[in-house]
Amino acid sequence: MLIYSPHISARLLYIAAWLGEQTGTTPVCTDDQMVFEKSEEIKLNYSESRISQEEIWIKPAGLLNQVGIEPQFILVSGIHQLPTFFRNESDLGFDYLAAAFYLISRYEEYKFIREDLYGRYPHDNSIAFSNHFLQRPLVDEWTLLLITKIRMVFPEIAIHPTSFNFTPTYDIDISWSYKGKGILRNLGGGLRRPRTLLERMLILTRLKKDPFDAYTFLDEKHDALLLKPVYFFLTAPKRSKLDKNISPYNKRLRRLIRDLSIKSEIAVHPSVYSHSDKNSLSTEKELLAFISNKVITKSRFHYLKCRLPEDYRRLIEAGVTDDYTMGYGTINGFRASTSRSFLWYDLEKEETTSLRIHPFCWMDANSCYEQQMDLQEAYAELLTYMDQIKQVNGTMITVSHNHLLGDDSVFKGWKEMYGRFLEEVTDIK
């Protein structure tokens, strides 16, 4: 694919490389119009006017030629039965490259003023929510539109876009309800809640399974369905109001981490405390690497607390290459309006970074707590996202928690519902 533009900026080079990942091509940018006209490749003209009939013409809205973060006028309207913005008279009817850049760079999240209870970017501040497309992978739908257009104009050139895949992920915030907390701590908890005292004692004496222990169930499901999960462990040495996992120095927790690392990927779940202590993120990552005897390169921030650009920069400094925080902790949907991974573009530095962002679309805690869904509604929501992502050949990433998938009576039925979904998404009955 050859992309012509009289102005080749860092933003254009970034979005061109991103487009190559989506379409299975290798885009090259040129500012030489004669070279463009003579090319026999897929030709994408990113300029003010059409050059030839054998091209895809996208008229620039201006965003990719800018430097710095400026207020953008975003007017969302429908075209091709899809919400779009940066409308114009070119072949797709809008500046696809600039619109995709705006959404996946998370342009709107820089310099925001209002925060939610946990200091996060609130979902109702996003244009996706306010314009009713948060629940669809809109950028992926736009890309499908472009691919259709390419095949019409260049039918002789084969392109190989991505295919659907699914990755289940798990946040291990609290490894067990009672197990691993010791007799004194359980005794204190039992005195505060007398109804739990007998259950605590039965679990500590191994006569009953801990209600948060979902690990055997998950292991068997993953093996049967040939799934490759990722487990994110909270390994904060210091406990706090929001960082409540069992100590990473606990032998039981260390054994669990090592056992799971045999078949699954292990990743760090940086604590809320790590945002106020500059050394804590690296300490937690290195501690998890020592326990698992694995190189740790993946992360997802606890409570999904992540602010741009500082938190992504901290991940890069700590040696993290892949982050899975891109989603909301208050509602399910597509925070970056895409299901597919992408390299993070640092808008303040105007550069493509080495950090790959993996968006998730569904988290059980959102369905259960925030959206107050029953099991049937949560299952329907999962299937809706699955169908949408399959239609655009995207990547579906889900986030689950062991305590919702165990045997706690409070979450009765969630394990069975989730197991049924795993069978559905892998087409194994």
Side-chain angles (χ1 to χ4, degrees):
M1 180 184 292
L2 187 63
I3 300 177
Y4 167 73
S5 174
H7 307 287
I8 300 177
S9 64
R11 293 181 179 184
L12 178 60
L13 291 172
Y14 166 79
I15 207 67
W18 168 84
L19 179 59
E21 291 185 0
Q22 316 311 304
T23 57
T25 62
T26 306
V28 174
C29 294
T30 181
D31 57 2
D32 189 323
Q33 185 171 327
M34 290 186 64
V35 170
F36 180 78
E37 290 177 357
K38 293 178 180 179
S39 175
E40 296 182 356
E41 301 179 60
I42 296 169
K43 293 190 290 187
L44 197 158
N45 172 15
Y46 195 61
S47 70
E48 291 295 323
S49 58
R50 184 180 297 281
I51 295 175
S52 71
Q53 292 303 311
E54 292 187 354
E55 68 178 19
I56 308 295
W57 175 40
I58 299 178
K59 186 175 181 180
L63 179 63
L64 299 188
N65 290 331
Q66 296 175 7
V67 175
I69 304 161
E70 302 293 338
Q72 299 294 319
F73 176 69
I74 305 294
L75 177 62
V76 177
S77 57
I79 188 172
H80 306 293
Q81 298 181 326
L82 295 172
T84 60
F85 53 96
F86 296 148
R87 291 280 300 273
N88 57 41
E89 70 274 15
S90 56
D91 287 346
L92 296 181
F94 71 109
D95 186 345
Y96 158 80
L97 296 179
F101 178 83
Y102 181 86
L103 291 172
I104 68 174
S105 70
R106 305 310 302 130
Y107 197 100
E108 65 187 357
E109 295 194 30
Y110 284 76
K111 300 181 180 180
F112 71 91
I113 298 174
R114 187 168 61 89
E115 297 179 344
D116 73 1
L117 179 64
Y118 300 104
R120 304 171 301 193
Y121 180 77
H123 74 265
D124 56 4
N125 201 55
S126 70
I127 66 164
F129 177 80
S130 58
N131 288 279
H132 312 291
F133 62 83
L134 178 61
Q135 276 74 41
R136 60 192 298 180
L138 184 60
V139 171
D140 301 345
E141 294 179 273
W142 290 344
T143 301
L144 202 60
L145 178 68
L146 175 65
I147 289 172
T148 300
K149 185 70 174 177
I150 289 173
R151 286 173 171 160
M152 290 173 59
V153 179
F154 303 96
E156 71 284 359
I157 302 178
I159 60 174
H160 305 283
T162 59
S163 56
F164 174 79
N165 62 81
F166 168 67
T167 300
T169 71
Y170 305 93
D171 286 351
I172 312 301
D173 307 329
I174 305 175
S175 305
W176 296 285
S177 181
Y178 308 126
K179 186 178 172 182
K181 296 183 178 179
I183 294 176
L184 291 178
R185 188 174 165 190
N186 272 291
L187 182 60
L191 292 175
R192 289 191 299 272
R193 291 184 294 164
R195 289 192 299 178
T196 68
L197 189 57
L198 177 59
E199 183 181 36
R200 289 172 186 267
M201 293 303 106
L202 290 173
I203 290 167
L204 290 179
T205 55
R206 301 185 181 182
L207 295 175
K208 187 176 180 181
K209 184 180 176 183
D210 189 280
F212 288 3
D213 188 345
Y215 308 110
T216 300
F217 160 73
L218 292 173
D219 188 50
E220 290 175 352
K221 276 292 182 184
H222 298 150
D223 280 351
L225 302 174
L226 305 178
L227 291 168
K228 299 295 182 183
V230 185
Y231 288 91
F232 294 82
F233 274 93
L234 179 63
T235 52
K238 293 182 65 175
R239 281 175 52 81
S240 68
K241 184 178 179 180
L242 298 179
D243 303 319
K244 296 181 178 180
N245 203 4
I246 294 163
S247 169
Y249 300 107
N250 180 280
K251 290 182 180 179
R252 290 178 184 269
L253 179 56
R254 290 188 166 211
R255 190 180 305 118
L256 174 65
I257 292 171
R258 286 194 293 267
D259 287 346
L260 289 176
S261 71
I262 295 172
K263 298 180 182 179
S264 308
E265 281 200 76
I266 300 298
V268 68
H269 198 36
S271 64
V272 173
Y273 176 74
S274 71
H275 294 273
S276 58
D277 183 285
K278 64 179 183 179
N279 298 317
S280 186
L281 195 157
S282 292
T283 299
E284 293 171 25
K285 176 177 171 286
E286 290 166 8
L287 184 55
L288 183 60
F290 175 76
I291 295 169
S292 64
N293 197 28
K294 302 282 185 179
V295 176
I296 304 300
T297 59
K298 297 182 176 181
S299 74
R300 177 159 54 229
F301 282 106
H302 189 31
Y303 272 83
L304 305 178
K305 182 176 171 63
C306 178
R307 184 160 187 169
L308 299 177
E310 51 266 37
D311 286 327
Y312 278 172
R313 289 175 183 167
R314 291 195 304 123
L315 291 177
I316 294 171
E317 291 172 3
V320 171
T321 60
D322 296 79
D323 185 70
Y324 290 70
T325 310
M326 185 57 69
Y328 291 114
T330 47
I331 193 171
N332 286 326
F334 300 90
R335 182 170 176 171
S337 299
T338 180
S339 68
R340 299 173 184 148
S341 71
F342 54 90
L343 291 175
W344 174 53
Y345 187 86
D346 189 329
L347 278 168
E348 287 189 351
K349 294 183 177 181
E350 294 291 353
E351 65 180 25
T352 303
T353 71
S354 59
L355 183 64
R356 182 163 289 276
I357 309 304
H358 299 260
F360 68 87
C361 64
W362 184 89
M363 181 166 68
D364 56 4
N366 282 342
S367 289
C368 181
Y369 301 125
E370 303 294 335
Q371 298 170 198
Q372 295 286 299
M373 289 184 171
D374 60 29
L375 291 170
Q376 186 175 355
E377 291 170 328
Y379 184 65
E381 184 185 38
L382 273 167
L383 294 184
T384 297
Y385 288 131
M386 180 191 72
D387 290 340
Q388 286 181 325
I389 296 170
K390 281 187 173 182
Q391 287 174 17
V392 296
N393 297 314
T395 297
M396 184 174 192
I397 297 177
T398 56
V399 183
S400 301
H401 295 78
N402 57 293
H403 66 275
L404 267 77
L405 301 176
D407 298 316
D408 193 320
S409 60
V410 176
F411 307 110
K412 184 178 179 180
W414 279 87
K415 176 171 71 174
E416 291 75 16
M417 181 276 289
Y418 179 70
R420 194 163 74 253
F421 166 72
L422 292 183
E423 294 173 0
E424 182 71 29
V425 76
T426 52
D427 291 324
I428 298 177
K429 306 299 182 183

